[in-house]
Amino acid sequence: MVHYDISPMEGSSAKDLDERRLEAYFRDIYKIDYPAEENKEQLLRNASLLAELDGKLVATVGGLLQFSLFADRFLSQATISVAGIKGTDITGEVVQKKELAGPLTDQIDAAISFMRLFTPEPLVVKDSPRREDTLAIPLDVLRETVVNAVAHRDYSILTRKIHIYIYTDRIEVQSPGRLANTLSLEMLPYGNSAPRNIFLVKLLDNMNYIDGLGRGIPLIVRKMGKRAAFSENGEMFCVRLDFAG
């Protein structure tokens, strides 16, 4: 089966991939002096960043998603919409909203920063001699939630993007695509994994954004308990993180 994340993108080319990001990736991950490679096109093909389409070399979906500064020109759905809302439902006042585009790792970092901005703090830690500043939702939980949404969403759904809503009492993350393959909601807390985007998972693993071991959801469940809930709503996979129990 050909996965969508390594599919060739019609109308694109190697010029749509950012040379500086490619150089840093091959230097840091594979210890390759990328600009000195005699056949860069072959290297990019071997790395599944380029593929042939109708006799021409074009960028792959995954190549554009991580190494293009303007992937949304080809994949308008590959963005994250974030909004801080005053209230507990979608009709509340929108305090701030942003559309996050660019390489996936940039989107992840920007989304986490936005979530931290609207997540309540500080909390008083019991049995502590002093007040400790912390988030109502642990930072690693925020990180795993966003990374999972980006890594496992269905990019072939052209009309939907990732939405992150920060309400007064909770965060909701909606990601296009129901659970892939044989996964069910009941299986998630036990580390079961069936990645939809094997190539993207590999890229994010190489860049230390994910470890590919299926530990993200179990970590969320362990740290959040009943304050975390997972559901499927139509073609969307949803994660709810409550600020209080």
Side-chain angles (χ1 to χ4, degrees):
M1 183 175 66
V2 177
H3 292 270
Y4 186 73
D5 55 343
I6 57 172
S7 298
M9 177 55 62
E10 184 176 3
S12 67
S13 71
K15 293 181 180 179
D16 293 303
L17 305 181
D18 184 65
E19 287 283 314
R20 292 199 304 173
R21 286 181 176 269
L22 290 171
E23 178 185 356
Y25 178 74
F26 284 104
R27 181 190 66 236
D28 297 342
I29 305 303
Y30 294 107
K31 313 304 178 186
I32 293 175
D33 189 8
Y34 171 73
E37 286 292 313
E38 294 182 2
N39 191 343
K40 289 196 286 187
E41 285 189 349
Q42 187 60 48
L43 175 64
L44 295 176
R45 290 185 68 171
N46 292 342
S48 296
L49 300 176
L50 294 181
E52 190 171 318
L53 179 66
D54 298 330
K56 297 180 181 179
L57 275 182
V58 299
T60 62
V61 169
L64 289 169
L65 287 173
Q66 180 50 41
F67 295 103
S68 175
L69 300 180
F70 307 102
D72 52 318
R73 291 178 180 175
F74 301 95
L75 300 153
S76 59
Q77 74 278 19
T79 60
I80 301 177
S81 176
V82 294
I85 299 175
K86 187 176 181 180
T88 58
D89 61 60
I90 198 66
T91 64
E93 176 189 353
V94 177
V95 179
Q96 188 175 348
K97 61 180 291 188
K98 287 186 178 181
E99 193 78 13
L100 308 178
L104 293 185
T105 49
D106 288 10
Q107 291 187 39
I108 291 170
D109 292 341
I112 294 171
S113 295
F114 190 94
M115 293 165 78
R116 292 186 67 180
L117 182 65
F118 285 91
T119 300
E121 64 174 342
L123 297 177
V124 176
V125 179
K126 293 181 179 180
D127 302 321
S128 174
R130 60 184 177 85
R131 186 164 115 169
E132 298 181 8
D133 290 344
T134 183
L135 292 174
I137 298 175
L139 180 58
D140 52 357
V141 170
L142 297 179
R143 179 183 177 86
E144 290 293 342
T145 303
V146 175
V147 170
N148 279 343
V150 168
H152 301 303
R153 66 151 290 180
D154 188 344
Y155 287 94
S156 69
I157 300 177
L158 305 181
T159 58
R160 305 300 294 267
K161 62 186 69 174
I162 294 172
H163 287 275
I164 300 176
Y165 302 104
I166 302 104
Y167 296 102
T168 304
D169 62 344
R170 70 191 187 280
I171 292 176
E172 289 187 6
V173 178
Q174 302 177 2
S175 178
R178 297 174 67 86
L179 291 174
N181 303 315
T182 59
L183 276 183
S184 67
L185 293 171
E186 292 75 21
M187 296 166 66
L188 289 179
Y190 303 101
N192 291 287
S193 179
R196 174 183 284 110
N197 305 306
I198 295 176
F199 177 59
L200 287 182
V201 168
K202 176 188 174 184
L203 278 180
L204 293 172
D205 188 1
N206 285 345
M207 303 176 84
N208 295 320
Y209 276 77
I210 197 171
D211 63 17
L213 299 176
R215 298 188 297 178
I217 298 296
L219 180 144
I220 294 171
V221 171
R222 178 171 61 83
K223 291 207 169 186
M224 295 292 292
K226 293 182 179 180
R227 292 197 292 135
F230 310 93
S231 62
E232 291 178 308
N233 182 12
E235 63 185 12
M236 305 294 281
F237 175 71
C238 306
V239 180
R240 172 176 171 146
L241 304 172
D242 291 338
F243 292 143

